[in-house]
Amino acid sequence: MGKIILTGDRPTGRLHLGHYVGSLKRRVELQNSGEFEKIFIMIADAQALTDNFDNPDKIRDNIIEVALDYLSVGLDPAKTNMFIQSVVTELTELTFYYANLVTVSRLERNPTVKTEIKMRNFETSIPVGFFTYPISQASDITAFKATTVPVGEDQLPMIEQTREIVRKFNTTYNADVLVEPDALIPTNQICSRLPGTDGKAKMSKSLGNCIYLSDPEDVVKQKVMSMFTDPDHIQINDPGKVEGNAVFTYLDAFATDEDFAEFLPDYKNLDEMKEHYRRGGLGDVKCKKLLLNVINKELAPIRARRKEFEKDIPAVYEILRKGTEVARAEAAQTLSEVKAAMRINYFDDAALIQGQQEKFNS
Ligand code: TRP
């Protein structure tokens, strides 16, 4: 059987450069590699509601933002099914059955859930929907028999939990229905966690330290020019620190040798530039200008595509509708196999009714 990708994002905001280097760019490469038989990318609105149930309009408005971000980075509806989670109701049904295979203490041990509970101040009172979302995520993955789940490192516990559910299901029902997925995490350390423009550990909407894929050029300029660097690098001639300096971390993530030839031929490559910065004599503004050029070069085609798609928003919803239809058919097929394995497919099983008749006859 061919390899199948399933992954997704919660539609709680526009996607930013952290998403781009951490996952979106890779997804486009995977899409274009021709290695995958099917690719499903899901806008996880139902999961987003598990901790935003009181703010459905936020989710509603961000579905189109995320879809536009997907299309503008180069995800292609001809190759990739983009769909909306909640419309595929089979996923909810699977979740209910998988819930029988998972214990409360196992959910409590899920490190990602643990961190999120702290982050959201849910300690004293955890909504059940939120608590059980790893089970729903297992449904997302297994409904498509995904072999490959490209995600950030923070999602590894979810994949592990999914694998356990798959094994438990297949052994409990003596079936070979569900497929154990593998996570595909970023190979490059910097890309797996791009810091915010303020130098903090992570780009995050709530910290206000993101550069969004949909930010116009002037906004990106303002954000880059006010980025965190090395607070001890006060005079140009002071020696500077590259480690923990967000500008250099971003250059690590984005700048190529060709970028130096194009924008800053004083240096052959980033190593030479870092060397000069460490020695002293290289100012932050020059570094930021290079970074701005590099980011704009990366964002230019993304912006151009977004502009085109923004002209016809109904067509974008239509892409999602079609993708969702395909996803639903796929999930319905798995659900019917699941129900057959669980022996709850009563009306689809003529032998059952016949067999019951015989039992009562004898
Ligand atoms: N939990 C993921 C996130 O927060 C989103 C998601 C939902 C997902 N279902 C998934 C990712 C299934 C991979 C596979 O980003």
Side-chain angles (χ1 to χ4, degrees):
M1 245 188 21
K3 291 201 284 180
I4 298 172
I5 288 181
L6 176 289
T7 187
D9 303 277
R10 298 181 190 186
T12 52
R14 293 180 290 153
L15 301 180
H16 52 59
L17 284 184
H19 294 117
Y20 182 67
V21 295
S23 68
L24 295 171
K25 203 172 172 176
R26 182 86 178 280
R27 287 183 202 173
V28 176
E29 287 163 12
L30 294 170
Q31 167 192 271
N32 297 332
S33 73
E35 266 184 56
F36 295 89
E37 189 186 313
K38 297 174 197 163
I39 304 176
F40 297 94
I41 308 233
M42 178 181 73
I43 302 183
D45 64 331
Q47 186 176 112
L49 284 167
T50 64
D51 63 334
N52 289 279
F53 56 88
D54 51 356
N55 198 358
D57 281 332
K58 172 167 130 189
I59 308 306
R60 185 183 175 86
D61 290 340
N62 278 308
I63 284 177
I64 188 72
E65 292 286 356
V66 171
L68 285 166
D69 286 331
Y70 284 170
L71 293 166
S72 52
V73 297
L75 289 174
D76 174 359
K79 299 179 186 153
T80 295
N81 271 291
M82 288 165 258
F83 71 98
I84 301 180
Q85 183 185 29
S86 67
V87 184
V88 183
T89 53
E90 287 79 4
L91 297 176
T92 324
E93 219 174 317
L94 285 173
T95 303
F96 192 69
Y97 298 128
Y98 293 171
N100 297 329
L101 310 175
V102 181
T103 63
V104 170
S105 64
R106 176 63 182 88
L107 285 171
E108 280 169 345
R109 280 201 309 275
N110 185 310
T112 306
V113 174
K114 262 194 196 163
T115 320
E116 288 179 324
I117 285 172
K118 280 213 195 86
M119 238 161 63
R120 289 168 178 67
N121 295 319
F122 278 163
E123 277 112 328
T124 48
S125 166
I126 311 169
V128 172
F130 177 81
F131 186 61
T132 57
Y133 92 75
I135 308 176
S136 136
Q137 190 152 338
S139 305
D140 302 336
I141 296 168
T142 56
F144 302 95
K145 303 201 171 168
T147 54
T148 313
V149 187
V151 280
E153 231 167 284
D154 64 315
Q155 295 294 305
L156 285 177
M158 301 297 160
I159 312 302
E160 194 44 47
Q161 186 132 34
T162 302
R163 294 169 62 93
E164 284 175 35
I165 290 173
V166 167
R167 290 194 294 265
K168 182 104 189 203
F169 183 93
N170 287 343
T171 48
T172 302
Y173 300 110
N174 193 21
D176 189 19
V177 171
L178 301 182
V179 175
E180 265 188 71
D182 287 311
L184 194 61
I185 57 172
T187 42
N188 173 327
Q189 193 57 39
I190 301 150
C191 291
S192 74
R193 183 155 290 208
L194 194 71
T197 51
D198 56 359
K200 296 231 171 79
K202 198 179 166 183
M203 263 199 191
S204 131
K205 192 176 21 145
S206 52
L207 294 174
N209 61 5
C210 303
I211 295 176
Y212 293 100
L213 296 175
S214 49
D215 276 342
E217 241 170 280
D218 56 325
V219 174
V220 174
K221 179 169 184 191
Q222 178 264 317
K223 288 180 177 175
V224 169
M225 295 320 275
S226 55
M227 264 177 82
F228 178 85
T229 57
D230 169 9
D232 300 324
H233 184 243
I234 297 161
Q235 307 285 341
I236 289 192
N237 288 321
D238 292 341
K241 258 208 313 291
V242 163
E243 290 71 31
N245 181 325
V247 170
F248 281 96
T249 312
Y250 282 31
L251 286 170
D252 273 324
F254 290 102
T256 61
D257 293 359
E258 294 80 72
D259 289 332
F260 279 91
E262 189 175 346
F263 302 120
L264 195 58
D266 311 12
Y267 309 102
K268 256 210 324 280
N269 54 37
L270 187 54
D271 285 339
E272 273 191 7
M273 184 181 180
K274 282 180 177 170
E275 213 18 68
H276 192 186
Y277 192 82
R278 288 199 180 98
R279 241 185 4 249
L282 171 57
D284 282 347
V285 172
K286 197 163 175 180
C287 304
K288 287 176 171 176
K289 281 193 171 143
L290 169 67
L291 177 61
L292 184 61
N293 279 319
V294 169
I295 290 180
N296 275 330
K297 184 174 159 190
E298 191 87 30
L299 288 184
I302 298 177
R303 284 195 189 109
R305 273 192 295 260
R306 199 180 221 273
K307 241 199 183 76
E308 282 309 303
F309 284 110
E310 282 175 355
K311 286 183 191 154
D312 194 354
I313 293 298
V316 176
Y317 277 101
E318 191 53 26
I319 288 170
L320 292 179
R321 204 183 58 75
K322 288 213 180 98
T324 303
E325 232 166 61
V326 174
R328 252 202 114 163
E330 200 77 18
Q333 172 60 33
T334 303
L335 178 63
S336 84
E337 292 170 27
V338 160
K339 290 173 92 168
M342 292 177 68
R343 311 199 37 83
I344 57 172
N345 59 337
Y346 318 110
F347 301 136
D348 300 334
D349 187 354
L352 163 76
I353 300 171
Q354 185 57 35
Q356 291 294 338
Q357 179 60 71
E358 280 157 21
K359 194 168 94 193
F360 283 97
N361 285 347
S362 59

